[in-house]
Structure formats: C-alpha cells, structure tokens
Amino acid sequence: MTVKRRFDYDLMRVLSMFGVIYLHTAAGALRHPENAAVWHFSNLITALATTAVPLFFMLSGALLLSRPETADPGVVLKKRLPKILLPLLAWSGLIILLTARDDPAGAASLLGNLLHNPVVVPYWFLYALVPMYLLAPLLKKMADGLTPVLWRYLLGLWFVLVLGLRTLRAFLPEGVWRTALTEHGSFNLIFVGGYLGYFLLGAALERMEHLPSRRTLWAAAGVLYILIAAGTAWRTDSSGVYDETFKSYLNLFAALLSVVLFLLARSYLSQRESGRVMTYFSGISFGVYLAHPKAINLMQHLWYVLLHDTVDTIPDQVLLYLAILAGCVVGVSIAASIPVVCYLLTGQRFSAARRESSLLALLHRS
C-alpha cells in the first residue's frame, strides 16, 4: 500500500533543495563581488533561499515526531538513521577517494578528521541531523506529552535564549555590552548547535490547529524578506565585507521567515496529495543535497575550460545554477535507478526509488 504524500511537505523539500544549491552557487559572487548587479541579484535570491536549511530541519521534525513508530528506538536505529548516515558516509568516502588522486595527504587528513569535520562544508547540516535522529524516540515521547502551554514555553526558551541573544549580540559593538550578553558555557541552552530548536519547531507547527490568516502570513513574509535583503546590503556596505547577520540560521530573521513559509505551505497545500512529478523531485532531493558540492566544483571548472570566462553577469550565474541543478537531478536519478548504489547515494531503498524517483518512475504512467 502506497502511503499518501503531502504536497506541502514535498514542495518545501524540493524548494529547500533548489535553495541550498543556489546558496552555494552564489557564495563566491557575494563574498568577492565583481559586478554590483550580480551581487544585488544574488542577495535578493539568497534572502529567500536562506530558509532552505531551517525548513529541512523543520520538515524532519514534523515528519519524525508525528509518526508513532519513532517512539521505538529500534525503528530509528535500524530504519531511519541509516537513511541519512550511510549516504553521508558514502558521499564522504567518494570525495576522499577523489581527493586522494591529486592530494593523498589531504585525503588522509579528511579521513582522520571525519568524525568532527565534514569533508565539504555543506555537509555540516547532517552532522546536526544525526544526533537529532538519535534523540528522536525521546523527543517523540516528550512531544506527545506536551500541552500547548509547554510547547510555547519550550520554543520560547529557544527563541529568547538562543536566537534572541545571538541576534541582539550581533548588533552590539565589540566590548562590554556584547560580553555582558554572552552566557556562560554551562548555562546556555544551545543543544545540537542550536539547531534542535528547528527540529522541535517543525513538530510544533505541524500540531498547530489554528493557523494565522493568509493575509497576515503573506504580510509577515514580505516584511521579513525585505528586512533580510535590505539589512544584508546595509551591513555589507557598512563593513566593506559580506555580512550574513540577517541571513544567519540562528538569528531571528531567517527563523521567523522559515516559520511563515512553513505555515503558508500548510495553509494552502496540506490537504493536497503529491503527484508524480512532485514525488519524483522530493524523492531525489536528499541525494541532490549530497551531490551538489561536487557538482558545483565540476560545473565551475567546465565553465572556465569551455568558455574561458568568469561568471560575472546575472545570465551567467543563472545558467551555471541551472546546469548544476540539472546535473545533480540527472546524476542522482541515475543513481536511484541502480540497485547496488541507490540506497548509499540517495538514502532511498531501490523498491521505493523504482516507484517514485528513478527516471523510469518519472516517465511511467499509472
């Protein structure tokens, strides 16, 4: 029996995939600006794309903590955790092997540091996600027992003592005031780097029965988006270097925009079932998260070799982004079509991938 897939969750997962790729495609243009128009275009897009990782954590929490089987540690350890841990290890191993061809010492360093340092920076989010999965059975029992008052209390602690303090400190000058608002390491509530709050936030938003009006949500989204984009431009112009204060995942701005987008998706689409195309893109999204760092390096190299030029215009950046996205989609779809490597590279069992996220699944008409 096929489980009904929610369109809102699949759409957020796919948009998160698109956003993560763009964040890393535009990173160079934002930090080493050669063209003002490209910088402002990149800033406007990343002001929205900065919600990609928070939404990923929120979706993980909303899904895991809503499933009764999550309360069983055996299910989590045998079925859930391997779906993220084994692909992380497989892709990390692949990158180490590729590195070893030209830099054996560098590959050895990557391997030796693997437990505490990802082989590529974008894999950091999995290092936060793994402990969340390990804690999921405990968090499931806790979440099921929380009253609305306790949910507000729990998330209030996170918003005030993690996001709130970090945001406030970012706007204070170096010196006594910033120091005064820096809590002692034994006193803070930053569990799992602070990202556990997103995991629980997703579960809380999924349980919310009465959503704010769509007009309120759209207004909030607009205000927060403008604030993030304009604030980033202001801080960057003032300091002379790219400043991500307004886009930081652990500041209030990105967190609140992520909440609003999550609720907008729920408001419009929670009763709609995903079709074949949305199911396909959602199914390959995790593999694309893992594949895109190497795809970016490869496509940038090919760009310079074939065109002998830099990515210094808006059309150039858009074309490079689309090429990276297309390469990831095709590559991961092929991996999902091969029984031996499907699970290792995509986190999906081959039986599910054959039905949902291989190239044949996309073309098949039921």
Side-chain angles (χ1 to χ4, degrees):
M1 178 179 178
T2 303
V3 178
K4 178 181 178 181
R5 300 184 65 102
R6 281 179 49 171
F7 190 91
D8 56 337
Y9 281 1
D10 281 340
L11 177 63
M12 283 189 280
R13 190 178 289 112
V14 172
L15 292 179
S16 174
M17 173 186 75
F18 291 161
V20 163
I21 295 176
Y22 185 81
L23 286 172
H24 297 128
T25 301
L30 289 168
R31 288 162 178 79
H32 307 286
E34 298 180 0
N35 182 304
V38 174
W39 190 93
H40 286 290
F41 178 80
S42 302
N43 179 45
L44 288 173
I45 304 300
T46 54
L48 186 61
T50 195
T51 61
V53 172
L55 284 173
F56 183 89
F57 286 139
M58 291 161 67
L59 285 168
S60 298
L63 288 167
L64 270 183
L65 300 186
S66 65
R67 292 171 173 165
E69 62 267 24
T70 300
D72 183 350
V75 171
V76 172
L77 293 175
K78 294 176 183 178
K79 295 184 178 181
R80 303 299 179 198
L81 185 62
K83 293 177 69 173
I84 60 168
L85 186 56
L86 292 181
L88 169 62
L89 294 175
W91 280 98
S92 296
L94 179 60
I95 291 172
I96 290 172
L97 288 174
L98 292 173
T99 303
R101 294 184 307 172
D102 303 317
D103 183 10
S109 177
L110 290 175
L111 180 60
N113 293 311
L114 188 60
L115 277 179
H116 63 87
N117 196 36
V119 295
V120 288
V121 174
Y123 287 1
W124 71 266
F125 78 97
L126 288 169
Y127 281 64
L129 193 63
V130 167
M132 294 181 197
Y133 270 59
L134 290 172
L135 292 170
L138 305 174
L139 296 174
K140 168 63 176 171
K141 298 297 287 187
M142 179 192 75
D144 289 346
L146 290 178
T147 64
V149 170
L150 289 176
W151 270 114
R152 290 193 291 270
Y153 176 72
L154 174 63
L155 293 173
L157 289 176
W158 181 64
F159 269 96
V160 173
L161 297 180
V162 178
L163 304 184
L165 282 180
R166 281 177 173 264
T167 304
L168 186 55
R169 284 198 300 267
F171 289 95
L172 293 174
E174 293 284 353
V176 64
W177 286 110
R178 184 176 291 190
T179 302
L181 290 173
T182 300
E183 68 275 32
H184 188 276
S186 300
F187 183 67
N188 66 43
L189 296 175
I190 303 180
F191 304 112
V192 194
Y195 299 102
L196 184 61
Y198 280 115
F199 193 78
L200 294 169
L201 180 60
L205 295 179
E206 170 56 25
R207 286 165 166 78
M208 185 182 292
E209 295 181 359
H210 303 291
L211 306 186
S213 69
R214 291 173 179 173
R215 179 177 298 180
T216 299
L217 291 172
W218 279 114
V223 169
L224 288 164
Y225 171 72
I226 292 170
L227 182 63
I228 292 171
T232 300
W234 164 63
R235 295 273 294 196
T236 299
D237 184 64
S238 299
S239 64
V241 295
Y242 181 56
D243 188 297
E244 287 189 299
T245 296
F246 283 83
K247 294 176 182 174
S248 170
Y249 304 139
L250 292 180
N251 280 0
L252 287 168
F253 311 106
L256 291 173
L257 182 56
S258 301
V259 168
V260 171
L261 295 180
F262 189 100
L263 293 178
L264 275 171
R266 266 203 65 193
S267 175
Y268 282 98
L269 302 168
S270 63
Q271 301 303 313
R272 181 175 170 183
E273 185 175 358
S274 295
R276 187 172 65 254
V277 173
M278 185 58 67
T279 298
Y280 163 74
F281 279 105
S282 178
I284 65 171
S285 61
F286 186 63
V288 171
Y289 291 141
L290 291 161
H292 84 272
K294 293 305 295 181
I296 289 175
N297 291 340
L298 176 62
M299 290 299 180
Q300 287 176 335
H301 176 72
L302 288 176
W303 183 280
Y304 298 137
V305 168
L306 297 176
L307 300 180
H308 305 290
D309 199 3
T310 58
V311 182
D312 56 3
T313 68
I314 293 174
D316 283 349
Q317 187 187 87
V318 172
L319 285 173
L320 178 62
Y321 168 74
L322 292 176
I324 294 166
L325 178 61
C328 287
V329 168
V330 172
V332 173
S333 296
I334 292 173
S337 304
I338 304 173
V340 178
V341 300
C342 176
Y343 192 75
L344 285 177
L345 297 184
T346 73
Q348 276 198 314
R349 297 194 180 280
F350 181 67
S351 57
R354 183 173 55 188
R355 184 176 64 250
E356 298 177 349
S357 57
S358 66
L359 291 174
L360 289 177
L362 180 63
L363 297 174
H364 176 70
R365 293 184 181 276
S366 53

